[in-house]
Amino acid sequence: QVQLVESGGGSVQSGGSLRLSCAASGYSYRTYCMGWFRQAPGKEREGVAAIDSDGSTSYADSVKGRFTISQDNAKNTMYLQMNSLKPEDTAMYYCKIARQCRYDSRGSHVPGFGYWGRGTQVTVSS
């Protein structure tokens, strides 16, 4: 069974940094698309960043230049380095893995149909 476990969330002041981790297990396919989504209270879920098995990355316009997605294949772990955090980044962040990426309604390249982690909370104060 595929399992994704997020960690690294917390509270930080505006301008600060956090590093999220997503540890994956039970995924047996050679190709994949992994990424991060976030959802704030009262707002729609949005794709944040994604990385595929070829190492290609993509980002939502709102986080370009501030967030960096990466992976450590030896540890089966994906990371999201978040710098210059803003209050509008406050949300529950979810990890997802799928066979391939897709474009969502906002034009973001994100994992398609697949598996979700339970999420980790990120709170950015002014």
Side-chain angles (χ1 to χ4, degrees):
Q1 183 177 359
V2 176
Q3 291 187 332
L4 301 173
V5 181
E6 301 97 332
S7 62
S11 298
V12 66
Q13 292 186 346
S14 180
S17 299
L18 286 172
R19 187 193 189 203
L20 305 184
S21 298
C22 174
S25 63
Y27 188 84
S28 60
Y29 298 100
R30 292 184 179 274
T31 60
Y32 61 84
C33 177
M34 293 187 68
W36 295 90
F37 292 78
R38 67 185 183 186
Q39 187 167 24
K43 298 181 65 177
E44 294 183 344
R45 182 188 64 195
E46 62 176 339
V48 177
I51 186 167
D52 65 21
S53 45
D54 293 325
S56 297
T57 60
S58 59
Y59 299 90
D61 289 340
S62 59
V63 306
K64 286 181 180 178
R66 300 188 298 119
F67 291 10
T68 302
I69 190 169
S70 62
Q71 61 188 350
D72 185 338
N73 290 330
K75 297 182 179 180
N76 295 316
T77 301
M78 176 181 65
Y79 305 95
L80 184 68
Q81 179 66 47
M82 304 185 295
N83 299 325
S84 302
L85 283 162
K86 305 174 182 179
E88 49 263 47
D89 294 318
T90 296
M92 183 71 75
Y93 283 71
Y94 299 92
C95 174
K96 186 180 183 182
I97 188 169
R99 289 290 303 277
Q100 60 187 25
C101 296
R102 64 172 179 84
Y103 289 96
D104 65 12
S105 60
R106 300 182 181 183
S108 297
H109 208 210
V110 299
F113 182 81
Y115 303 89
W116 293 88
R118 293 184 179 275
T120 185
Q121 179 68 39
V122 172
T123 302
V124 184
S125 60
S126 300

